Amino acid sequence: MGSQSLLVLSAPTTMIPSKIAASSLAPPRPGPLCFPRALTITDSVVFRVKSNSARNKLASSIRCALTPALKTTLDKVVTSHKVVLFMKGTKDFPQCGFSQTVVQILKSLNVPFESVNILENELLRQGLKDYSSWPTFPQLYIDGEFFGGCDITVEAYKSGELQEQVEKAMCS
């Protein structure tokens, strides 16, 4: 008997394939930004896979998740706020040290910013990687443009460049 591993993904109801177990979850708490119904996770999908190659194949099938609708939504989100941070957790409860670092930097500069918890939606998380061409989180957007992740933000903060970019964005 080969070993089995579980890969747990979240997906909209319409994406639940046959022959898998799905259990209903309460909808996620509304965050600072709301996404269309198509991006709301309401079901947990458990895929039983027998090998790492099957797991990798399944995971790669959702990697190209930047649909035209998601791109349009992300365009609206990043252009409707001067500073947006896509992060693990929320600005009040970061769930990753890198996200917490960027939140602390922005708060130290008294920058008003919106945060989006990418942990609430796997399709959003994967789609953002394609949208920004950046594989990790957090992802900081200033004035509608991708600024960088944690390391870039820390360096820009130390050099004063971050404060300049934020002040420029706030004045435009």
Side-chain angles (χ1 to χ4, degrees):
M1 179 188 280
S3 66
Q4 273 195 341
S5 58
L6 291 179
L7 177 64
V8 179
L9 299 174
S10 296
T13 304
T14 55
M15 294 184 63
I16 297 177
S18 61
K19 298 183 182 179
I20 59 171
S23 61
S24 182
L25 294 177
R29 291 186 337 207
L33 300 175
C34 296
F35 288 95
R37 174 70 176 105
L39 297 178
T40 302
I41 297 172
T42 57
D43 294 298
S44 174
V45 181
V46 178
F47 294 89
R48 296 190 188 281
V49 293
K50 294 185 178 187
S51 68
N52 283 338
S53 64
R55 177 196 312 227
N56 293 340
K57 187 175 185 179
L58 178 62
S60 69
S61 70
I62 64 167
R63 282 205 176 105
C64 190
L66 185 60
T67 63
L70 179 56
K71 183 183 182 314
T72 300
T73 300
L74 290 172
D75 286 341
K76 287 178 184 174
V77 169
V78 301
T79 57
S80 63
H81 303 282
K82 297 294 184 178
V83 180
V84 180
L85 181 63
F86 293 94
M87 60 181 288
K88 294 179 180 178
T90 65
K91 60 183 162 183
D92 296 324
F93 188 65
Q95 294 183 18
C96 153
F98 298 113
S99 293
Q100 182 175 359
T101 297
V102 176
V103 167
Q104 288 176 338
I105 288 172
L106 294 173
K107 285 183 176 182
S108 76
L109 295 173
N110 294 316
V111 175
F113 67 98
E114 293 296 325
S115 65
V116 178
N117 182 358
I118 55 97
L119 295 176
E120 291 180 350
N121 188 314
E122 184 64 25
L123 296 175
L124 170 64
R125 182 178 180 173
Q126 295 302 327
L128 266 166
K129 292 176 182 182
D130 294 334
Y131 182 77
S132 64
S133 299
W134 194 261
T136 60
F137 292 94
Q139 293 183 7
L140 180 62
Y141 287 77
I142 299 174
D143 211 14
E145 298 291 324
F146 177 65
F147 184 80
C150 182
D151 291 344
I152 291 171
T153 303
V154 168
E155 289 304 314
Y157 173 71
K158 289 178 181 176
S159 72
E161 179 189 355
L162 178 61
Q163 187 165 358
E164 290 174 18
Q165 288 290 326
V166 168
E167 287 173 359
K168 181 179 169 188
M170 295 301 165
C171 294
S172 63

